[in-house]
Amino acid sequence: MPTERITFPGHAGHDLAARLDLPTGPTLATALFAHCFTCSKDIPAARRIAARLASMGIAVLRFDFTGLGHSGGEFGNTSFSSNVEDLIAAAQYLAARGMAPDLLIGHSLGGAAVLRARAGIPSARAVVTLGAPFDPSHVAHHFDHALGVIAQEGQAEVSLGGRPFMIGQGFIDDIRRTELGSALADLRAALLVMHAPRDMTVSIDNAAEIFQAAHHPKSFVTLDDADHLISDPGDAEYAAGVIAAWVARYVDMSPPAPPPGAPEGVLRVTEADPEGFLQDVQNGPYHHLYADEPEAYGGTNRGLSPYGFVATGLGACTSMTLRMYARRKGWPLDGIRVEVSHDKVHAQDAAPSGPAKIDRFTRIIHLDGNLDPDQRRKLLEIADKCPVHRTLEHSSHVETKLAPPPGPGDPTAPPDAPAGATPLTATARSD
């Protein structure tokens, strides 16, 4: 996933540090992500959700609010309203790049902020909240013990998540006078509320109030056992998948037409379990599935095996080819079922070419309908003309390239990683 490190001026002119996670293929939509109170753009939930959305064709800008993470400015001089202004500044930066945000996503207090910021971001057609409070003053319970000192001295240092932060009276006054009811009533965007019933930081009652105050179109999806920070990778993956599927109803995510003769898009396979064999498979913005091995072979059996995918391709292509032919002929083919099995046999069992083993795929085709014997024989002949069948039977050329290691500026780079290394290439043929 390509990621750009960028900065842009925030509400007070300070440079705000950001990451723009981009799809490998065409960008189908753009999202702006607001992190939780005193968190940063690099919190695991933000990284995981942004990565999954980028794999689905949605570019995601996540940034540190003024005074947090790697952004400039003093946190003690900020407020909820200044966070909203930072979000609008981020949207203006994206618009200047021709990527005005279609989608706003906010986690916790960031969820409240995107609801308030929507009025200043006219391009946004959809808003998602994750564990958001209905009343922004809810965050004050994190430092109830310091409210007296803040009132007397104007500010006080408090510990949040094990880190010291300076909280000023201006921040307290701002969240106390902020209400979201009017913003929700005039949201003028589709709303998706996501919340965990067991959230011990922001109760699910907040989700109910947000949902009731908003007009349609609006949706609510539970995050089940997730914690407030959505720290479990599976919960973050689930949230991102739901967001991508939901937003497609309200944002045009049609990819540009490919040039004539262009191959299909890139299918990305990412290791999901280094201790086993589970693989995360993403093909474009809409299709996500898992590959795995059975438990008997050290896997967790959460997806098809690699050969299962090959057999699936053969079976699906066979059925599609038969349907296309019967439809064109106007034949009474009511239904198709293709059973495919795979095994390895000695080459001499299939052809007298030596003792080596080859792959054998066996298809059993069930055809429903009032077909005569000649039509059935012709459809059996047509099955062998399915493109995947022909690919498997004829030579294939596989070219393999090793991507260069990440450069020193990449956070995933190992120490002293060389930048700009030339990819290694290997080729193989299958006859």
Side-chain angles (χ1 to χ4, degrees):
M1 176 188 65
T3 299
E4 292 185 17
R5 288 185 174 186
I6 58 176
T7 59
F8 62 89
H11 75 283
H14 300 291
D15 282 343
L16 304 187
R19 291 186 184 276
L20 180 60
D21 299 312
L22 295 164
T24 301
T27 297
L28 307 182
T30 303
L32 178 58
F33 192 104
H35 60 71
C36 52
F37 181 56
T38 70
C39 298
S40 79
K41 66 182 183 304
D42 298 315
I43 186 174
R47 288 190 289 104
R48 290 168 182 149
I49 291 174
R52 170 48 61 83
L53 292 178
S55 74
M56 297 177 178
I58 302 174
V60 182
L61 179 71
R62 47 193 170 97
F63 70 97
D64 294 328
F65 286 115
T66 299
L68 292 173
H70 297 93
S71 290
E74 295 293 331
F75 180 78
N77 295 328
T78 65
S79 64
F80 177 78
S81 295
S82 72
N83 287 349
V84 172
E85 292 171 8
D86 281 346
L87 279 166
I88 294 173
Q92 292 171 344
Y93 166 81
L94 286 170
R97 290 188 54 165
M99 302 174 66
D102 310 282
L103 170 65
L104 307 179
I105 306 172
H107 181 200
S108 191
L109 190 63
V114 297
L115 291 172
R116 174 61 70 184
R118 163 63 186 91
I121 308 176
S123 62
R125 299 179 59 189
V127 178
V128 178
T129 63
L130 299 159
F134 178 72
D135 180 2
S137 65
H138 169 88
V139 300
H141 81 274
H142 290 292
F143 40 84
D144 280 342
H145 60 284
L147 292 178
V149 176
I150 295 172
Q152 291 180 359
E153 302 182 9
Q155 62 179 9
E157 184 177 280
V158 300
S159 178
L160 299 171
R163 294 176 295 162
F165 291 92
M166 191 65 69
I167 302 293
Q169 186 61 45
F171 180 89
I172 303 299
D173 294 340
D174 186 53
I175 58 175
R176 283 175 174 169
R177 63 173 173 260
T178 298
E179 58 85 27
L180 296 180
S182 58
L184 283 160
D186 194 34
L187 191 62
R188 300 187 183 183
L191 174 65
L192 172 60
V193 180
M194 305 188 78
H195 215 110
R198 299 183 182 182
D199 190 331
M200 302 301 292
T201 303
V202 178
S203 75
I204 198 169
D205 295 340
N206 288 268
E209 291 185 85
I210 291 172
F211 188 83
Q212 290 169 2
H215 297 303
H216 285 289
K218 57 183 178 179
S219 306
F220 174 78
V221 174
T222 180
L223 291 175
D224 296 325
D225 295 329
D227 58 22
H228 181 67
L229 293 180
I230 318 179
S231 54
D232 186 281
D235 292 326
E237 294 282 334
Y238 171 74
V242 171
I243 292 169
W246 172 83
V247 76
R249 296 179 63 90
Y250 307 104
V251 173
D252 181 11
M253 294 179 59
S254 301
E264 293 186 38
V266 174
L267 183 144
R268 181 176 295 106
V269 179
T270 305
E271 184 180 57
D273 179 12
E275 302 299 322
F277 296 109
L278 184 65
Q279 307 294 316
D280 183 286
V281 184
Q282 185 70 44
N283 186 15
Y286 304 116
H287 307 299
H288 171 251
L289 56 159
Y290 290 112
D292 205 346
E293 289 284 4
E295 293 181 4
Y297 292 95
T300 54
N301 201 33
R302 292 176 61 187
L304 289 172
S305 70
Y307 275 112
F309 278 103
V310 177
T312 298
L314 177 60
C317 185
T318 300
S319 180
M320 293 175 186
T321 302
L322 295 179
R323 172 54 64 193
M324 182 172 59
Y325 186 84
R327 184 181 294 145
R328 186 168 67 245
K329 291 290 189 178
W331 289 355
L333 178 58
D334 297 334
I336 307 168
R337 187 171 74 257
V338 183
E339 298 170 0
V340 182
S341 60
H342 166 261
D343 60 354
K344 288 184 178 290
V345 298
H346 287 287
Q348 64 264 31
D349 294 338
S353 57
K357 286 191 173 184
I358 63 170
D359 292 280
R360 179 175 64 188
F361 291 88
T362 303
R363 280 180 301 189
I364 300 177
I365 302 172
H366 301 262
L367 303 176
D368 297 330
N370 189 23
L371 298 163
D372 63 40
D374 288 340
Q375 290 172 331
R376 289 179 177 272
R377 280 193 295 269
K378 186 59 178 179
L379 288 171
L380 178 61
E381 177 185 328
I382 293 299
D384 288 346
K385 299 183 183 301
C386 129
V388 173
H389 175 109
R390 301 177 78 168
T391 296
L392 291 172
E393 282 203 331
H394 293 77
S395 298
S396 298
H397 179 79
V398 179
E399 181 176 329
T400 304
K401 296 180 179 180
L402 184 64
D410 192 308
T412 63
D416 303 320
T422 303
L424 301 180
T425 304
T427 60
R429 291 190 65 87
S430 174
D431 295 323

